[in-house]
Amino acid sequence: MLVSKLKEKWLTKDGKTVDLEKQARILRFLQRITPIITFLLFFAGTIWILVLPHEKYNKGTYISENALLPGQANVEYGYNDIRTAEDYVQKLIGIQDKDSETRAQFIHEEFRQSGFVSAIQRFDMDTIGHNTKGTNIFAIHKAPRSDGKEALILSASWISRTGEFNTNGIAALLSLAKLFKRNVYWAKDIILLITDQGKVGTQAWLNAYHGIDEKDEISAIVMPRSGAIQGVINLDFPGTQDYETLGIFFEGVNGQLPNLDLINTIVAVAERINPPISVTLHDDASYPFANHKYGTYFRSLFYMLQSMKYLVFGHPSSDAGLYLRYRIDAVTIYGIVGSTHLNNLFGFGRIGRLPDPAICKLVLKMRSNLDPGTIVSSCPSMHV
């Protein structure tokens, strides 16, 4: 009796009997048209993706933060800094083939002589299939006007993405370290980091800095640290030669992306350097259909598909991509060797002039975010 009453209740709606046969017909109709709807939605999505690279549907390089004024910072990186970087190249060539401990001790002494708080991190990490050991070295520049709550990172790895030694990248970092030390206008701490074993070393340092227990000699308690990391610029300039194009890698783990202003700031600074630096995404200095009538569209489409490839695979495109999982904006700037435009090659004279104003403007952005009503420059207000 109870079952019959429940069945009668389920078969009625608002006092009316539900037509089960009619519902079945509607359901069968929806099942028949579902593949068609799926195909139409897929087709519409594909068309929309192909429309996005068109110049009318993207803004290109632009700055959305009023506090960021690329090109308005005085570049302090000069002739003496270039000579310093070139001297470091010769020193690095002599020790880069040695073991990790010897290399770390050399960098450690250089940081100490420059007046930095420096430390060595020896790590032992279990990765997929094998165990990796290495030695990271980092220094912290305690800015005189800093409250110690926020910091930026300038980093480089011993090994470039090409498999070569990142000689020019580390030499540029060491020369910039001396520049940071002698200038007193910094309002945020700057961490100088040189990692071993590529992405494994970067991950080991991040684990230790954020207190994640791993098998390393610097625990979360005793590890020297600054404040919360807000931005990272990773230098990857393999070898000792000059470069034709500047590549930018920005994809993180599982499709994470940094704040667009960080990328646009670097692009804007590169374009304002005299002479300007040619900039591309990733390491593709050339692309198909460059001389085509619609070459601009195909170039944008090519770069978009390349970025989608990294996002789909879920792996970081560079060491900088590992920072994004900690909500830290990070990019890698990479020197691309070429022979197409030999009259536009660039070396330390322009490599050093990229991170200097970029970090300067990131400091300015961090300050303006804390106090939107006032924008107080932490950098000399002149042009690049």
Side-chain angles (χ1 to χ4, degrees):
M1 182 66 69
L2 178 61
V3 174
S4 300
K5 289 183 177 180
L6 290 174
K7 185 176 181 181
E8 182 180 352
K9 183 178 181 180
W10 290 339
L11 293 177
T12 60
K13 183 178 181 181
D14 298 331
K16 299 180 180 179
T17 303
V18 177
D19 189 346
L20 294 180
E21 185 177 349
K22 182 179 180 180
Q23 286 190 346
R25 288 198 302 269
I26 295 174
L27 182 60
R28 286 194 296 269
F29 174 74
L30 292 176
Q31 288 176 338
R32 286 197 303 270
I33 67 172
T34 295
I36 300 175
I37 295 176
T38 302
F39 174 78
L40 291 176
L41 291 175
F42 175 80
F43 181 76
T46 303
I47 294 299
W48 180 244
I49 289 176
L50 295 176
V51 168
L52 286 177
H54 194 276
E55 58 184 3
K56 292 185 178 180
Y57 293 92
N58 64 75
K59 295 183 179 180
T61 298
Y62 68 98
I63 303 299
S64 62
E65 287 280 356
N66 292 330
L68 292 172
L69 300 172
Q72 300 302 311
N74 182 34
V75 177
E76 301 286 338
Y77 198 87
Y79 177 75
N80 290 334
D81 300 298
I82 296 173
R83 289 295 303 272
T84 300
E86 292 172 347
D87 291 341
Y88 273 127
V89 167
Q90 300 305 317
K91 295 179 181 179
L92 291 171
I93 290 175
I95 60 100
Q96 62 188 11
D97 290 320
K98 300 184 183 298
D99 59 276
S100 298
E101 186 68 25
T102 302
R103 296 184 304 196
Q105 288 294 342
F106 168 78
I107 302 296
H108 182 60
E109 288 302 319
E110 292 296 328
F111 281 149
R112 286 291 182 90
Q113 291 176 12
S114 299
F116 291 100
V117 176
S118 178
I120 294 176
Q121 178 204 14
R122 300 173 182 87
F123 62 87
D124 182 354
M125 288 192 67
D126 293 323
T127 56
I128 299 176
H130 62 281
N131 179 268
T132 304
K133 296 181 180 180
T135 308
N136 295 330
I137 173 70
F138 65 99
I140 301 176
H141 173 46
K142 297 289 186 180
R145 299 168 58 189
S146 170
D147 55 8
K149 294 181 179 179
E150 293 180 321
L152 298 171
I153 291 182
L154 183 65
S155 67
S157 176
W158 277 106
I159 304 298
S160 168
R161 62 182 296 105
T162 63
E164 304 174 71
F165 284 108
N166 186 20
T167 309
N168 281 351
I170 295 178
L173 184 147
L174 293 173
S175 65
L176 283 164
K178 292 182 178 293
L179 170 66
F180 296 154
K181 193 64 179 179
R182 71 171 182 260
N183 290 332
V184 297
Y185 50 69
W186 299 108
K188 300 298 175 185
D189 293 349
I190 299 176
I191 300 174
L192 304 162
L193 172 64
I194 298 178
T195 58
D196 194 18
Q197 302 295 339
K199 293 185 179 70
V200 178
T202 301
Q203 187 61 60
W205 188 87
L206 283 168
N207 288 346
Y209 192 87
H210 292 92
I212 301 175
D213 291 333
E214 290 289 345
K215 296 182 291 183
D216 57 55
E217 293 188 5
I218 299 183
S219 69
I221 299 176
V222 303
M223 180 178 185
R225 55 168 46 83
S226 179
I229 302 169
Q230 300 298 315
V232 179
I233 297 178
N234 184 59
L235 305 179
D236 189 350
F237 292 91
T240 60
Q241 67 282 336
D242 290 341
Y243 308 95
E244 183 181 67
T245 309
L246 182 74
I248 300 179
F249 289 84
F250 54 89
E251 293 87 359
V253 179
N254 296 328
Q256 293 175 307
L257 297 173
N259 190 314
L260 184 60
D261 280 333
L262 177 58
I263 301 172
N264 287 343
T265 297
I266 293 174
V267 173
V269 170
E271 291 176 345
R272 285 166 172 78
I273 290 177
N274 187 22
I277 297 176
S278 175
V279 182
T280 185
L281 295 182
H282 311 117
D283 53 359
D284 299 302
S286 60
Y287 54 91
F289 309 106
N291 299 320
H292 193 273
K293 178 181 178 181
Y294 301 104
T296 302
Y297 168 80
F298 284 116
R299 179 181 62 181
S300 298
L301 177 63
F302 175 74
Y303 289 145
M304 185 184 72
L305 294 177
Q306 286 292 98
S307 297
M308 291 174 63
K309 178 188 71 174
Y310 284 108
L311 299 178
V312 168
F313 288 156
H315 299 294
S317 58
S318 67
D319 291 7
L322 297 172
Y323 292 89
L324 296 174
R325 66 171 64 182
Y326 298 90
R327 304 181 68 85
I328 301 171
D329 295 327
V331 296
T332 292
I333 53 177
Y334 169 67
I336 302 174
V337 179
S339 58
T340 305
H341 304 288
L342 296 179
N343 60 334
N344 197 32
L345 298 180
F346 64 93
F348 288 118
R350 283 185 278 176
I351 292 175
R353 296 169 68 186
L354 280 167
D356 182 15
I359 289 179
C360 208
K361 290 308 171 185
L362 288 175
V363 171
L364 184 55
K365 177 186 176 183
M366 290 158 58
R367 296 189 67 184
S368 65
N369 286 343
L370 292 176
D371 187 3
T374 58
I375 299 179
V376 182
S377 176
S378 301
C379 313
S381 183
M382 296 178 64
H383 61 83
V384 175

